[in-house]
Amino acid sequence: MSSANYVRPDPLTFKVIRKSTSRESEEIREKVRECWKENLDYWKKGEKGKALNLTADCIVNEIKEEIRLYHKELEIGKSYDVPFVILPADTRFPGFLNSIGDHMITTSAFAVSVALSMYDKGLLGDVIYPFLGNNSCDREILRGFIRLAALLHDLGKMPPCNHAERSYEYVKNIFREDGELAEALALTASRHHYGRYTSQDRRPSNILELIVAFADKVSSSSRSIVFRETDLNSGKDSMMNFLRRARGFKEIGYNIGSDEDLKRIEDLIRDGHVEEDEDFSGVRTYGFLDKDENASLRVNSRLVNAERELIGEKGEGKLVSMYFFEIPSIKSYVSRGTSLKVYAGYSLLIDYLNHEISRRIQEKVGPECVISDEGGSVLAITPSTFKTEEILTGVLDPEKGELRFFKYRDFKEDFLLSEFFLGPKEVWEGWGEKSPYLRDSVRSFGSLVSKFLSHASSSEIKPSSELGKERRIPINNTCKECKMNLRRKEIYAVRVS
């Protein structure tokens, strides 16, 4: 194992709170092993789906807790054990801004969404591994299996060189209590590269391995740093300054890629072109910043056609969605109150509703799929087959199909996998001579989210028949705050608006 020092600068401040070494990689493997051991008894008792999904939940929750502690560390300066956050997803510039934990979560979110969509549509074909079910694949086992394979695909890092081979060995060892499971997970996790520089025995050989490979590629878009400059020279200056700062880390002993790779990046910035394959072993720019607007489409052509390859002759279709739920106009609800206690009550109720929707998505798909569940709304990545009515069952009034006392909005939209990498399809072409810095800041996951939220915000607001009515509530059923506004001796009238 390499003893090199690695660095993962904060993507907002470019500051480094701590270096990382091979020790952080070892800690991550130890934590994954503990998550499996905690749930191994479920596996032995035959509750295989439960064992796999609880193990995946444990890993995701550990990453999310470390992200919280990392930001706390930035605020108060106290050090915490956060290997998932300080170890970079890639040592090579500019990938070192993305943490291994972030990359694990996003890869799993895309992989499980694709796999469940294909399962629900009957497109997975024959069962690949016997333990996935008898004659027909068990959905919960599949969900847990693909989540774990995606979460652990880069377990062999650091360093990036030969990490797929190490991922195979590490995953196989962690799940050693069941040889069949260990081998299947190890293969599915490690075969996540498909470029011409990847040996044939390390390329995806079945549908589940290909799903993880595509999810890995989509997730890697978060490593691309592009300055939104309408002027080409301004963009070059900003990127060159960024490269100089990165080289400063190399000068003091951190591994951020070879001198040759950094020189290729510099040539790209200066000349606007670099020759590379999708899985070129050194530079990973994926066609970004190339003066040819079609370079990214060519370099990532297999991802662009992912749905066709996954679904085959059974037709084209979109396999991944984004889902949005919100209680609109929160201020209008809070303003009904006459004191801080009432404000807090409305806020807590809205917060509860949002977290209940979030919890249900996490249970049906995975906690890694929820992007946000704060601020009065929920945003998540889901399978295209995701049924919103199932999520809302028990939350809505069963007779009226509405949310009592609150208006709400929920919206789902399907997208191509490549759109999460290259942005909305309508912005892929037509850039002409415009700055590639402007172009590639628009061809991004952030632009896809902006498009989706724009569509969501203009979608229908579902009303509540309770709004605007005057209801009479027995005094014993009201809170202390309402009793203080008593209008009658025994009955309190409240207008819901």
Side-chain angles (χ1 to χ4, degrees):
M1 173 60 67
S2 171
S3 60
N5 292 328
Y6 305 106
V7 60
R8 185 248 165 182
D10 185 271
L12 296 179
T13 65
F14 212 63
K15 293 181 179 178
V16 178
I17 62 169
R18 220 179 315 157
K19 70 178 181 180
S20 57
T21 64
S22 59
R23 177 55 195 157
E24 277 68 34
S25 299
E26 294 170 9
E27 286 184 35
I28 288 173
R29 296 196 296 275
E30 291 168 2
K31 291 188 176 189
V32 172
R33 173 65 180 167
E34 285 303 311
C35 285
W36 171 239
K37 287 170 64 178
E38 286 176 12
N39 298 288
L40 182 57
D41 283 345
Y42 292 118
W43 182 268
K44 293 178 178 178
K45 290 188 293 185
E47 299 179 69
K48 296 181 178 180
K50 186 174 184 179
L52 296 175
N53 281 295
L54 285 178
T55 302
D57 289 348
C58 176
I59 295 168
V60 173
N61 291 333
E62 174 63 27
I63 294 171
K64 289 189 172 185
E65 175 62 13
E66 288 191 17
I67 292 172
R68 186 188 71 81
L69 291 175
Y70 168 77
H71 289 290
K72 185 176 180 180
E73 182 169 341
L74 292 179
E75 292 176 4
I76 66 176
K78 181 180 178 181
S79 294
Y80 293 96
D81 178 31
V82 289
F84 284 105
V85 181
I86 65 172
L87 193 70
D90 195 339
T91 59
R92 295 158 293 194
F93 175 88
F96 66 167
L97 293 180
N98 191 224
S99 75
I100 192 74
D102 287 331
H103 181 55
M104 291 167 67
I105 282 179
T106 51
T107 302
S108 182
F110 290 118
V112 68
S113 294
V114 171
L116 292 182
S117 288
M118 293 186 67
Y119 175 91
D120 294 337
K121 293 180 178 182
L123 299 173
L124 272 183
D126 296 333
V127 176
I128 298 165
Y129 300 114
F131 67 84
L132 286 180
N134 296 321
N135 299 321
S136 61
C137 183
D138 182 281
R139 193 178 192 273
E140 276 300 281
I141 295 178
L142 169 68
R143 184 171 75 91
F145 180 85
I146 200 72
R147 291 175 66 204
L148 281 174
L151 284 167
L152 305 179
H153 75 282
D154 275 349
L155 199 65
K157 291 183 177 178
M158 290 294 163
C161 182
N162 299 320
H163 75 272
E165 290 82 350
R166 290 193 299 275
S167 291
Y168 172 84
E169 296 298 336
Y170 294 152
V171 173
K172 190 172 182 179
N173 181 58
I174 286 172
F175 295 89
R176 56 184 176 270
E177 284 80 6
D178 187 305
E180 186 181 47
L181 170 66
E183 177 70 10
L185 267 177
L187 288 173
T188 308
S190 62
R191 289 175 172 169
H192 59 270
H193 291 160
Y194 49 75
R196 59 187 172 129
Y197 292 93
T198 304
S199 61
Q200 192 64 43
D201 64 331
R202 284 299 168 198
R203 296 181 189 179
S205 64
N206 62 48
I207 196 70
L208 297 187
E209 293 169 3
L210 189 57
I211 288 172
V212 173
F214 281 138
D216 174 45
K217 174 53 69 70
V218 173
S219 177
S220 67
S221 66
S222 60
R223 305 181 206 172
S224 301
I225 302 298
V226 178
F227 295 90
R228 191 182 183 117
E229 299 282 2
T230 57
D231 177 71
L232 177 59
N233 291 326
S234 297
K236 287 184 177 181
D237 290 344
S238 298
M239 199 67 183
M240 198 64 77
N241 286 332
F242 182 38
L243 178 59
R244 275 194 289 268
R245 295 183 68 180
R247 277 177 164 155
F249 290 120
K250 187 174 181 63
E251 291 172 1
I252 59 176
Y254 290 108
N255 183 345
I256 65 163
S258 69
D259 291 332
E260 180 184 357
D261 292 340
L262 294 176
K263 180 61 168 61
R264 287 167 64 90
I265 294 286
E266 182 177 343
D267 291 342
L268 170 64
I269 298 171
R270 294 187 186 281
D271 303 327
H273 183 67
V274 63
E275 293 290 343
E276 64 167 324
D277 179 72
E278 263 190 291
D279 276 331
F280 182 75
S281 58
V283 182
R284 294 287 177 89
T285 61
Y286 307 110
F288 289 100
L289 298 185
D290 198 296
K291 57 188 176 184
D292 179 1
E293 69 172 58
N294 295 314
S296 284
L297 302 180
R298 286 197 306 271
V299 169
N300 301 291
S301 60
R302 194 167 177 184
L303 179 62
V304 168
N305 295 294
E307 283 77 9
R308 192 172 303 166
E309 184 170 352
L310 289 169
I311 298 173
E313 298 301 321
K314 298 175 183 177
E316 296 184 9
K318 297 176 180 178
L319 299 170
V320 185
S321 302
M322 279 195 278
Y323 175 72
F324 180 74
F325 174 89
E326 74 164 340
I327 306 293
S329 305
I330 291 178
K331 290 182 180 179
S332 69
Y333 294 107
V334 175
S335 63
R336 298 175 191 170
T338 58
S339 73
L340 182 60
K341 293 180 181 178
V342 177
Y343 300 155
Y346 275 116
S347 179
L348 286 171
L349 181 55
I350 292 170
D351 195 50
Y352 167 77
L353 288 169
N354 281 316
H355 284 124
E356 178 63 18
I357 297 298
S358 174
R359 183 187 66 78
R360 294 177 178 208
I361 295 172
Q362 293 179 46
E363 287 183 350
K364 287 185 174 293
V365 191
E368 61 269 38
C369 293
V370 176
I371 299 173
S372 172
D373 58 6
E374 303 294 343
S377 64
V378 178
L379 177 63
I381 295 170
T382 65
S384 60
T385 52
F386 175 75
K387 293 180 173 59
T388 60
E389 58 270 21
E390 292 181 2
I391 294 296
L392 297 173
T393 299
V395 176
L396 302 182
D397 186 306
E399 295 182 1
K400 300 179 180 179
E402 60 187 37
L403 194 60
R404 295 188 69 188
F405 311 127
F406 290 103
K407 299 174 183 178
Y408 77 96
R409 173 189 282 126
D410 75 320
F411 180 76
K412 183 173 81 77
E413 186 172 3
D414 302 340
F415 296 102
L416 296 169
L417 258 177
S418 51
E419 290 185 283
F420 290 93
F421 185 82
L422 292 166
K425 191 172 183 179
E426 57 266 30
V427 303
W428 288 2
E429 300 175 335
W431 289 94
E433 299 300 317
K434 292 181 181 177
S435 165
Y437 294 87
L438 173 63
R439 179 196 70 210
D440 288 341
S441 65
V442 174
R443 293 202 304 199
S444 65
F445 174 67
S447 291
L448 188 68
V449 173
S450 296
K451 170 189 173 179
F452 171 73
L453 291 178
S454 175
H455 291 175
S457 64
S458 59
S459 64
E460 177 190 5
I461 296 178
K462 316 293 175 58
S464 171
S465 59
E466 297 285 345
L467 299 182
K469 286 185 177 181
E470 184 176 277
R471 304 181 68 242
R472 294 191 174 271
I473 304 172
I475 188 68
N476 291 335
N477 292 347
T478 62
C479 66
K480 182 178 179 181
E481 191 70 23
C482 291
K483 290 176 184 178
M484 294 174 63
N485 295 318
L486 185 63
R487 297 180 181 178
R488 295 186 179 183
K489 186 175 182 180
E490 295 180 354
I491 300 294
Y492 174 72
V494 58
R495 182 175 179 81
V496 183
S497 60

